Amino acid sequence: MLKVLFHVPDSSRFNACLRQVNNLLATLSEEPYEIRVLINFEGIKVVENFEPYMEMFKSLCERGVKFYFCQNPFKVFNISTDLVPPPAEIISSGIRALVDWQREGFIYIRP
């Protein structure tokens, strides 16, 4: 199984990440995959104006891509976690997730 982790610590790279995930999916036919996108640090600011990303986000979610937002920066930047679009998940520690997921064999990509 192909296991890929996209890491977005900068909101200006979120759109590029979505495009790269979409491009990767276009190359997969019957190959099983698990694709995760971790948004942490300043990257979480995308939720303040998520509408431009919503269509591609929903499309990728429908294709099984999982999105995770780190909880900590929401406090730092004083942004409500209520803005996180479902079905994305909020996790307690992005850095711990990065370590654990790479240990589980996910290939790390930073768009």
Side-chain angles (χ1 to χ4, degrees), residues 2-3 18 34 36 38 40-41 43 51 53-54 62 64 67 69-70 84 91 94 97 101:
L2 179 65
K3 295 163 68 171
L18 296 178
E34 186 172 350
R36 296 179 182 177
L38 172 67
N40 72 337
F41 190 57
E51 188 56 38
Y53 312 110
M54 190 58 80
E62 288 169 2
F67 289 82
F69 285 81
C70 178
V84 173
I91 58 173
W101 294 341

Side-chain angles (χ1 to χ4, degrees), residues 33-72:
Y33 62 85
E34 186 172 350
I35 297 174
R36 296 179 182 177
V37 177
L38 172 67
I39 303 99
N40 72 337
F41 190 57
E42 190 274 342
I44 62 98
K45 288 186 174 185
V46 299
V47 300
E48 293 180 305
N49 182 23
F50 204 78
E51 188 56 38
Y53 312 110
M54 190 58 80
E55 186 177 332
M56 188 174 288
F57 169 78
K58 285 182 178 180
S59 173
L60 294 174
C61 289
E62 288 169 2
R63 296 176 73 188
V65 177
K66 306 262 192 232
F67 289 82
Y68 300 89
F69 285 81
C70 178
Q71 179 179 341
N72 296 327

Side-chain angles (χ1 to χ4, degrees), residues 90-107:
I90 299 169
I91 58 173
S92 61
S93 174
I95 193 67
R96 181 59 198 230
L98 284 172
V99 170
D100 290 345
W101 294 341
Q102 287 183 79
R103 187 184 305 164
E104 292 171 19
F106 280 82
I107 298 165

